[in-house]
Amino acid sequence: MAGWRRLMALGLVVLAPFPAWAQQPPPVDPQLYQYLAETPVTLLEWGMLRLGRDMQAAVTALSLDGGRNGGAKVKTGTLFRPFDRRVVAYVSLPVAGKARSLEQCQEIYGLLRENLLAGAPGGLSGPPWYLQRLFGADTRSGRPEPFGEMLVEMVLLEVTLRVPEAENFTPGSKNIVCAGKLDQEQAAEIQPWRPPPPP
């Protein structure tokens, strides 16, 4: 009995687990299940999801999420721009001081583009082939042609070198943004958006 009390005091006695029936969570709300089970995923959503996954893999492979910027927060993913119906695959990373340049932006764009297209055929057929694999379906019925080339026009790869938090109040500090289609070897600089002048 003394040995039992000593084990209890040390917290070494493991109580028998509750029976399985006592651990069951409450049932799932049927409305939630019905909504998830019956809402279809579009090819646009499916392709963006797969492109976002490839972007994250490229960022990791190129050590952009730790190697170049000391583990600072890198943002990556895809978004849809309704005003021009484009899909943007983006990466945004903080870069300090003079290293934040158009040349650096274009270098990262080139590395990301090469990584995304690594398994694709060489030349101009690579980007359409790659995007068809992401956004395509097994059936070609009703799909617009030339499908791959149209996807190349729709998808942009965008890199943002943003001002780190430590430089937020430094005069003249600004983000550098460059972007291009996957058939472009070099990205072009994107100027910051400004609202249109009043009429």
Side-chain angles (χ1 to χ4, degrees), residues 83-183:
F83 69 88
D84 64 354
R85 299 191 186 102
R86 288 190 186 276
V87 171
V88 180
Y90 65 87
V91 63
S92 169
L93 58 155
V95 176
K98 293 181 180 178
R100 197 172 54 253
S101 65
L102 177 58
E103 292 74 22
Q104 176 75 349
C105 191
Q106 290 173 330
E107 180 190 345
I108 293 173
Y109 167 90
L111 292 170
L112 284 167
R113 178 181 173 273
E114 287 176 18
N115 191 283
L116 292 174
L117 298 177
L124 293 176
S125 61
W129 181 89
Y130 169 70
L131 292 173
Q132 281 184 124
R133 291 192 48 150
L134 296 183
F135 288 87
D138 290 339
T139 175
R140 297 185 180 191
S141 174
R143 100 179 176 185
E145 296 295 347
F147 187 59
E149 287 75 7
M150 293 170 82
L151 286 168
V152 170
E153 293 299 317
M154 181 183 191
V155 176
L156 292 177
L157 175 58
E158 181 181 277
V159 177
T160 300
L161 307 184
R162 67 180 190 271
V163 177
E165 288 183 13
E167 294 180 29
N168 276 344
F169 300 105
T170 304
S173 293
K174 65 172 188 171
N175 294 344
I176 302 291
V177 184
C178 62
K181 299 178 297 181
L182 288 181
D183 64 348

Side-chain angles (χ1 to χ4, degrees), residues 17-80:
F18 288 104
W21 59 265
Q23 296 177 6
Q24 292 296 322
V28 172
D29 186 304
Q31 285 184 315
L32 172 64
Y33 167 76
Q34 188 171 4
Y35 171 77
L36 293 175
E38 295 179 3
T39 303
V41 175
T42 67
L43 284 177
L44 178 64
E45 293 166 322
W46 176 241
M48 287 176 63
L49 180 70
R50 298 172 80 186
L51 180 56
R53 178 200 61 196
D54 285 2
M55 283 290 290
Q56 183 58 61
V59 164
T60 301
L62 296 169
S63 300
L64 296 178
D65 53 357
R68 289 185 175 223
N69 51 45
K73 182 66 175 168
V74 173
K75 301 171 185 173
T76 186
T78 57
L79 59 85
F80 178 70

Side-chain angles (χ1 to χ4, degrees), residues 191-196:
Q191 296 302 320
W193 183 84
R194 290 184 175 87

